[in-house]
Amino acid sequence: MDGRHPLSNSASAILYLVAGLAAVAGSAWMAVSWVPGQTAEERAFRSAPACTREVRTDCVRDEEFTVSEIRLGKKERKATLTDAKGAPRRVGFPDDGPLLKKLDDGDRVTGTVWRGSVQEIAARGTKQPTWAAPVNPPSADLAAAIGLGPAGLLLSVACAWRLRQGADANEPTWRMRYLVRLACGMGLAGVVTAVAFAALGVRPLWAAPVLWSLLVAPMAALTVRAWRRAPYRPREPWRPTPL
């Protein structure tokens, strides 16, 4: 077994055990703190009234900006937006497109401003969010959290079981391997769900656990079936990986 596999030896089992526990902690933080915060902020932005003479605080307004100092690339996607009063502000973007890559210095754009930050820019019939706006809908972040937590928990259980068995003296059981495989599948299902929701703009939070469950159900069923057959499978030669 490859030395990088979670069950190959004590060192790898301890490393992946820590990683699994960190994944569980990260999932709990996202579900309890990050997602509710993003949801509240998105609702506040979408329900904010347009700025008028009577309404001047916590409102949304459109403002004209002149674009300059455009930077495109993997490490930096930024542009300077200068308002009508000549005040510049440096704004970051999550992607080059669909609008930023089409702009040149001196072009005019309309920026949507909320709580002092430019949430998105618009020009030529195209809009693009800035880093000030939520890059992903909260449902995508929730899907990532749902996939991360169970996957980390199963991985931790498998590694702890392996350490208790004696990772440097005995071969891992088939059931340990099935737990690791199911953990990988659960994590991958969370990533797929999150990417799909971000790309399609799916926003209902209930959709995250539903789609993730649909993807994981066949994996869990196959794991249960294999778990029951595990004692009857022939044992394989074991050559522990040196530490």
Side-chain angles (χ1 to χ4, degrees):
M1 185 177 290
D2 192 308
R4 293 170 295 182
H5 192 280
L7 305 179
S8 60
N9 54 44
S10 295
S12 63
I14 292 173
L15 178 63
Y16 281 94
L17 173 60
V18 173
L21 294 176
V24 173
S27 172
W29 174 79
M30 290 179 67
V32 173
S33 179
W34 176 258
V35 172
Q38 290 293 92
T39 302
E41 184 175 358
E42 184 180 46
R43 288 176 178 172
F45 172 62
R46 293 185 178 280
S47 62
C51 293
T52 62
R53 292 183 179 180
E54 292 77 18
V55 181
R56 295 181 178 274
T57 59
D58 202 16
C59 58
V60 178
R61 72 177 187 275
D62 289 337
E63 190 171 342
E64 295 295 320
F65 294 96
T66 301
V67 182
S68 62
E69 300 179 13
I70 299 172
R71 297 289 183 270
L72 303 177
K74 294 182 178 180
K75 295 183 178 180
E76 184 180 39
R77 300 179 181 94
K78 295 182 178 180
T80 297
L81 304 182
T82 304
D83 61 22
K85 298 179 180 179
R89 63 176 77 192
R90 196 67 172 162
V91 178
F93 299 83
D95 299 294
D96 291 345
L99 179 58
L100 187 62
K101 61 184 178 183
K102 299 179 181 178
L103 298 176
D104 296 315
D105 288 357
D107 285 348
R108 302 279 293 178
V109 298
T110 300
T112 301
V113 181
W114 180 61
R115 292 181 178 177
S117 300
V118 179
Q119 301 291 312
E120 66 180 17
I121 60 173
R124 306 175 185 177
T126 305
K127 296 181 179 180
Q128 180 171 350
T130 69
W131 272 122
V135 178
N136 295 323
S139 59
D141 295 332
L142 180 60
I146 291 174
L148 193 65
L153 181 60
L154 278 186
L155 182 61
S156 300
V157 169
C159 291
W161 186 3
R162 180 72 172 129
L163 289 170
R164 183 178 179 181
Q165 178 204 34
D168 298 322
N170 302 290
E171 65 177 278
T173 66
W174 280 104
R175 288 178 173 175
M176 292 179 191
R177 303 182 192 194
Y178 294 146
L179 284 182
V180 173
R181 293 172 187 175
L182 181 57
C184 293
M186 286 181 165
L188 181 60
V191 172
V192 170
T193 304
V195 171
F197 281 15
L200 299 176
V202 178
R203 298 193 175 278
L205 291 179
W206 59 263
V210 169
L211 180 56
W212 180 82
S213 298
L214 291 175
L215 293 175
V216 169
M219 305 179 198
L222 290 174
T223 300
V224 170
R225 182 174 182 273
W227 183 282
R228 292 176 177 176
R229 293 178 57 245
Y232 306 103
R233 299 198 60 168
R235 299 177 68 87
E236 294 181 348
W238 176 241
R239 299 182 180 85
T241 303
L243 296 178

